[in-house]
């Protein structure tokens, strides 16, 4: 199956929320949230349209911003840089990323240095694998999780907010099914047990802004999850 | 409250001619118009006047260098500059580049795009007017959301802004791009040309 094209046409059932899109548009999110939004938007044209709508709102604010006095040599300095730049610098041609049928959207491939088949996973028990994605932010953690088909995640609560974006496969949480492009947000009020659909492994991008509290058993797994 | 978005067509034409013809006069006019607003906007978001000046200069240099990528059917000049200023500001603060959504071709479109560019400007003008006419309380909410002193869950979903129209406009543009890509001959494979 050609993932690139067909998933673009697929309607996301559980789309990313406006509050994340506004935060991204305004440029005010922590880095791991930016990664989440950029990845989700890559998989959801409707979210992209909403995002660009919020950016238009930012444009409206900029258009009617008051005017700040410029440094007296502002314009000259800018012209100097423009005219003084080497040819390679000035004639800057952006090479469009060729569309490839990758499982991971571009922002994630950039963050990880490759697509799913080239990644170095770390087992965390029960067949679950993860990769912690370095994001340089203290506020939240981003990781890629791979859960074997049919496998349940340990029952857990949340000390903060957990955002899960499905990249491959699918999982059920209660009655709801989440597939590629879908997002589940769980806050500290939620205690749940997502179960990967039987069949292929379920790969998700998960951003958490506080350590998960695993409720029962598997303390070792919990520890290894937390100890990152 | 006046919005010069009536003139968006004018600014868009100038930006296109900077991209196409390296038109210095057009650039000077854009600079005069937008540099002080970009700087003021950056100050509102918390940069010191000194940093805002540096950031603004980077933005204007970028305007020159990337003008050829500006697509008037996808964004007004104000919106395009807003996103450049935002990204530049983030890059100044962070060590690593901010992740951005997978790219869609964001380049000049062939002819039939005229009407769509016009329609986008019209929608944007309506949005800008609506922002201007919001009751102070809601207006304040929007500003705080963008200037960074509001948690985003506080933002009311119902602001009464005509965001729906602009969203469907953008949605149309995105669909058009996607279909253009579908009919493209397959590109050369391989990860060269980074
Ligand atoms: Zn739902
Ligand atoms: Zn959870």
């Amino acid at each position: 199956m050609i993932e690139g094209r067909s998933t673009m046409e697929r309607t996301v059932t559980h789309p990313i929320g406006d509050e994340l899109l506004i935060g991204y548009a305004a440029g005010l999110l922590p880095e791991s949230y930016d990664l989440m939004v950029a990845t989700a938007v890559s998989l959801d044209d409707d979210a992209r349209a909403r995002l660009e709508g919020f950016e238009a709102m930012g444009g409206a604010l900029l258009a009617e911003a008051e005017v700040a006095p410029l440094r007296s040599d502002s314009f000259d300095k800018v012209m100097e840089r423009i005219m003084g730049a080497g040819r390679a610098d000035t004639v800057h041609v952006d090479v469009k990323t060729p569309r490839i049928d990758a499982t991971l959207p571009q922002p994630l491939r950039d963050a990880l240095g490759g697509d799913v088949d080239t990644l170095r996973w770390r087992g965390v028990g029960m067949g679950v694998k993860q990769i912690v994605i370095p994001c340089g932010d203290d506020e939240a953690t981003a990781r890629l999780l791979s859960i074997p088909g049919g496998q349940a995640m340990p029952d857990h609560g949340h000390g903060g907010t957990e955002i899960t974006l499905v990249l491959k496969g699918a999982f059920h949480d209660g009655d709801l099914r989440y597939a590629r492009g879908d997002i589940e947000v769980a806050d500290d009020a939620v205690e749940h047990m997502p179960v990967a659909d039987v069949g292929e492994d379920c790969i998700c991008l998960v951003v958490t802004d506080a350590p998960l509290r695993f409720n029962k058993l598997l303390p070792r797994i919990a520890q290894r999850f937390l100890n990152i | 409250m006046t919005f010069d978005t009536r003139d968006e067509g004018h600014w868009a034409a100038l930006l296109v001619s900077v991209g196409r013809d390296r038109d210095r006069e057009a650039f000077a006019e854009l600079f005069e118009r937008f540099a002080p607003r970009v700087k003021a906007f950056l100050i509102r978001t918390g940069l010191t006047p000194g940093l805002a000046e540096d950031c603004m200069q980077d933005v204007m240099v970028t305007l020159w260098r990337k003008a050829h990528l500006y697509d008037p059917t996808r964004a007004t000049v104000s919106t395009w500059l807003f996103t450049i200023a935002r990204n530049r500001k983030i890059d100044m603060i962070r060590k690593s580049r901010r992740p951005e959504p997978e790219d869609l071709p964001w380049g000049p479109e062939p002819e039939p795009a005229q009407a769509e560019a016009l329609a986008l400007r019209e929608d944007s003008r309506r949005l800008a007017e609506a922002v201007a006419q919001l009751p102070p309380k809601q207006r304040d909410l929007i500003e705080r959301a963008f200037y960074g002193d509001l948690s985003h869950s506080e933002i009311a979903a119902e602001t009464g802004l005509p965001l729906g129209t602009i969203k469907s406009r953008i949605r149309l543009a995105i669909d058009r791009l996607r279909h253009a890509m579908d009919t493209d001959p397959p590109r050369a494979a391989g990860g060269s040309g980074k």
Side-chain angles (χ1 to χ4, degrees):
Chain A
M1 169 176 121
I2 301 170
E3 259 174 336
R5 187 165 311 169
S6 47
T7 48
M8 291 311 175
E9 304 295 337
R10 175 183 169 268
T11 311
V12 169
T13 323
H14 304 285
I16 190 166
D18 281 345
E19 66 291 344
L20 281 172
L21 295 177
I22 293 177
Y24 185 90
L28 298 168
L29 297 181
E31 293 189 47
S32 33
Y33 281 79
D34 276 346
L35 181 63
M36 174 59 79
V37 175
T39 306
V41 165
S42 299
L43 295 173
D44 183 351
D45 282 350
D46 188 70
R48 185 190 294 270
R50 279 185 286 140
L51 171 62
E52 290 182 16
F54 291 127
E55 289 175 339
M57 212 155 86
L61 288 176
L62 183 137
E64 52 106 41
E66 286 160 28
V67 293
L70 304 184
R71 227 179 277 157
S72 56
D73 61 351
S74 254
F75 184 71
D76 295 341
K77 276 271 186 297
V78 166
M79 285 317 285
E80 225 170 83
R81 278 173 64 186
I82 287 172
M83 296 308 155
R87 168 169 305 204
D89 194 17
T90 305
V91 189
H92 177 108
V93 181
D94 279 24
V95 180
K96 294 265 181 278
T97 330
R99 234 170 20 128
I100 59 169
D101 295 320
T103 301
L104 304 181
Q106 185 76 44
L108 259 188
R109 294 203 302 278
D110 289 348
L112 290 159
D115 202 9
V116 272
D117 41 357
T118 65
L119 299 178
R120 299 179 59 189
W121 295 94
R122 216 185 92 190
V124 289
M126 295 169 64
V128 178
K129 298 176 290 182
Q130 77 165 356
I131 296 172
V132 175
I133 305 168
C135 272
D137 104 51
D138 312 329
E139 294 168 75
T141 307
R143 78 191 75 195
L144 214 56
L145 271 187
S146 175
I147 304 141
Q151 168 82 53
M153 284 294 289
D155 186 13
H156 63 276
H158 310 91
T161 305
E162 172 195 71
I163 306 172
T164 305
L165 167 67
V166 182
L167 300 161
K168 181 172 179 284
F171 69 83
H172 270 86
D173 193 359
D175 293 339
L176 300 178
R177 182 171 187 269
Y178 298 83
R180 181 166 163 92
D182 284 333
I183 283 206
E184 181 183 38
V185 179
D187 60 20
D188 44 13
V190 175
E191 206 163 289
H192 64 164
M193 194 176 64
V195 182
D197 282 14
V198 176
E200 58 183 335
D201 293 355
C202 178
I203 297 180
C204 299
L205 173 65
V206 183
V207 170
T208 41
D209 67 0
L212 304 182
R213 296 178 278 108
F214 282 85
N215 284 343
K216 45 182 182 181
L217 47 108
L218 306 168
R220 261 187 318 173
I221 289 181
Q223 246 175 6
R224 289 167 79 174
F225 264 107
L226 302 177
N227 190 16
I228 40 177
Chain B
M1 259 167 271
T2 51
F3 272 102
D4 277 289
T5 38
R6 279 164 306 158
D7 294 322
E8 263 296 343
H10 175 62
W11 307 118
L14 289 179
L15 183 49
V16 166
S17 96
V18 170
R20 197 185 44 212
D21 310 322
R22 311 273 84 188
D23 182 339
R24 285 203 217 183
E25 272 175 44
F27 179 77
E29 202 179 331
L30 285 163
F31 186 97
E32 187 183 53
R33 169 73 192 179
F34 287 102
R37 287 176 169 79
V38 169
K39 184 173 176 181
F41 184 86
L42 289 166
I43 292 173
R44 275 296 298 272
T45 67
L47 290 191
T48 63
L51 278 176
E53 171 78 30
D54 292 348
C55 188
M56 175 278 289
Q57 290 191 15
D58 292 344
V59 170
M60 298 317 285
V61 171
T62 306
L63 182 152
W64 175 271
R65 290 186 185 156
K66 302 254 174 160
H68 63 289
L69 295 174
Y70 172 68
D71 177 353
T73 70
R74 293 284 306 276
T76 62
V77 175
S78 312
T79 299
W80 192 68
L81 282 175
F82 162 77
T83 58
I84 292 174
R86 172 202 65 194
N87 294 352
R88 183 63 201 133
K89 182 189 163 193
I90 292 173
D91 288 346
M92 281 170 80
I93 296 168
R94 288 184 191 167
K95 278 200 223 112
S96 54
R97 270 193 92 77
R98 160 166 129 134
E100 283 172 42
E102 209 157 74
D103 204 19
L104 290 174
W106 176 279
E109 281 277 299
E111 317 78 55
Q114 281 286 5
E116 283 159 52
L118 202 71
L120 176 71
R121 285 203 291 275
E122 178 57 23
D123 285 349
S124 300
R125 188 187 57 74
R126 287 221 303 273
L127 176 63
E129 263 172 12
V131 171
Q133 286 161 10
L134 280 177
K137 227 176 139 182
Q138 286 181 352
R139 165 69 189 243
D140 184 53
L141 206 63
I142 298 285
E143 293 198 345
R144 281 160 63 208
F146 273 88
Y147 297 134
D149 27 276
L150 184 68
S151 84
H152 294 98
S153 51
E154 285 178 74
I155 301 161
E158 281 309 313
T159 51
L161 293 174
L163 271 169
T165 36
I166 201 144
K167 192 193 104 180
S168 35
R169 175 80 44 210
I170 292 165
R171 181 70 223 229
L172 279 176
I174 291 170
D175 286 347
R176 197 164 36 79
L177 289 172
R178 288 248 183 257
H179 288 120
M181 286 194 289
D182 281 350
T183 53
D184 270 355
R187 296 165 206 261
S192 60
K194 256 217 141 142

